Amino acid sequence: MTNQSREELKKEMMAEVDMKNIPAHIGIIMDGNGRWAKKTGQPRIVGHHEGARRVKNIVRFCNDIGVKHLSLYAFSIENWSRPSLEVSALMRLFSTYIIKERDGLNAENVRFEFCGRRETMPPKVMEELDNIVNYLRKNTGLTLTVCINYGGRAEIVDAVKAIIQKGYKPEEITEDLISQHLYCSDILPDVDLMVRTSGEMRTSNFHIWRAAYSELYFTPALWPEFDSVEMLKAILAYQKRERRFGMTSEQVQA
Ligand code: IPE
Ligand code: IPE
Ligand code: MG
């Protein structure tokens, strides 16, 4: 498909979007960089660089249509098991990419957050990410949360540890209390729409707690191929769903 017909398709799809029902928090499992690299005969790390280049467009598009939170799964706790060269190239990529995009994100009024286990992050990368968080702190548009060294189970374990350290009694433990002790708990709400690229149909430990009632959307597109038309397909699919949260259809429609 040419760029022009892709633009026309985007316009047609935009006309179908219900602007009053935009998911407030979209989480994306950005998968398939390695397969994209293989398909195009390049090393895996080139796939990661190409994947990083897609981020800006998706952030801009989501911000433009009024998404409040976009959280991107960039590196799981389990990803430390990858070859060390790939791991170190990815860590370098995270800070260089976000430093490069800092002013563009600022011009678009985007806020930035880190979500993951801070203690085992490489200190230099953590420091650079914290600097960007501070730099964009005053912005009021979309919050871009990058999940690095993130695992949904690890997040719950860390929340439980913090709760125990504060001396809470068993009868004081509630769902709200656990929510309040998750990473970025003061910022990040539950996930409305969770998207995974590359055809895999699993959540790989992403947002275990916050995604309890997310709508799930899977696409065969590899992350480096994911554009605003693909995002629109996910949003239109989301808008056709009925979110019942345990109720009956009649109750939801009343
Ligand atoms: C996703 O792409 C990016 C990270 C997990 C860092 P992959 O690197 O998992 O790509 P595939 O799954 O090998 O194609
Ligand atoms: C999930 O992708 C993690 C990220 C996208 C960062 P993986 O490629 O690591 O997931 P699995 O191993 O296929 O489940
Ligand atoms: Mg993968």
Side-chain angles (χ1 to χ4, degrees):
M1 194 183 262
T2 62
N3 280 347
Q4 197 193 345
S5 47
R6 198 89 181 146
E7 272 309 305
E8 278 161 18
L9 179 59
K10 182 175 166 183
K11 263 195 212 133
E12 281 167 28
M13 292 173 86
M14 275 304 290
E16 283 178 51
V17 173
D18 174 359
M19 297 305 281
K20 290 195 281 302
N21 185 23
I22 299 291
H25 179 182
I26 301 180
I28 306 185
I29 303 170
M30 307 183 292
D31 197 13
N33 295 348
R35 275 162 284 171
W36 181 87
K38 196 166 187 185
K39 201 168 89 171
T40 55
Q42 305 178 83
R44 289 181 61 83
I45 190 63
V46 176
H48 295 313
H49 279 270
E50 194 56 33
R53 270 197 278 280
R54 299 291 143 215
V55 168
K56 184 166 54 179
N57 286 346
I58 297 302
V59 171
R60 182 181 301 139
F61 177 70
C62 287
N63 196 22
D64 286 349
I65 63 167
V67 173
K68 291 288 166 226
H69 292 272
L70 179 67
S71 60
L72 301 179
Y73 203 10
F75 190 89
S76 70
I77 285 195
E78 292 74 22
N79 287 147
W80 289 108
S81 329
R82 292 192 178 196
S84 62
L85 275 180
E86 179 169 345
V87 169
S88 53
L90 277 168
M91 286 295 156
R92 228 178 0 262
L93 174 62
F94 298 143
S95 49
T96 52
Y97 176 79
I98 200 76
I99 289 169
K100 187 161 86 65
E101 296 305 332
R102 191 180 78 157
D103 291 319
L105 293 173
N106 196 31
E108 287 174 32
N109 196 24
V110 169
R111 228 165 29 142
F112 179 70
E113 277 299 329
F114 165 86
C115 178
R117 189 175 260 168
R118 302 178 63 88
E119 297 74 32
T120 46
M121 277 293 285
K124 185 85 186 100
V125 177
M126 198 62 250
E127 190 189 320
E128 279 164 349
L129 294 175
D130 280 341
N131 287 341
I132 310 285
V133 171
N134 276 328
Y135 187 74
L136 302 175
R137 186 177 294 286
K138 299 239 162 59
N139 289 342
T140 54
L142 174 144
T143 301
L144 167 64
T145 300
V146 181
C147 302
I148 302 174
N149 198 23
Y150 177 86
R153 288 181 173 182
E155 180 180 39
I156 296 170
V157 168
D158 290 351
V160 170
K161 281 184 185 165
I163 289 169
I164 291 173
Q165 270 158 9
K166 288 184 187 169
Y168 281 98
K169 298 191 186 72
E171 58 275 22
E172 293 172 317
I173 309 294
T174 61
E175 291 188 7
D176 277 346
L177 188 74
I178 293 177
S179 295
Q180 285 157 20
H181 287 83
L182 298 177
Y183 306 142
C184 306
S185 58
D186 47 340
I187 292 157
L188 208 54
D190 282 351
V191 181
D192 297 300
L193 169 63
M194 186 188 280
V195 174
R196 183 173 190 146
T197 59
S198 89
E200 308 297 352
M201 297 200 193
R202 55 180 172 266
T203 56
S204 300
N205 206 10
F206 191 39
H207 284 318
I208 297 295
W209 184 275
R210 289 184 179 93
Y213 268 100
S214 298
E215 295 299 327
L216 306 179
Y217 178 87
F218 300 102
T219 169
L222 303 172
W223 175 250
E225 301 164 342
F226 194 85
D227 63 1
S228 45
V229 166
E230 296 297 331
M231 190 76 250
L232 272 164
K233 284 186 198 165
I235 291 171
L236 289 173
Y238 168 87
Q239 293 189 335
K240 290 198 181 74
R241 312 267 179 95
E242 182 180 68
R243 304 187 73 190
R244 290 194 283 277
F245 298 99
M247 291 180 281
T248 65
S249 188
E250 290 71 20
Q251 284 176 298
V252 173
Q253 283 167 24

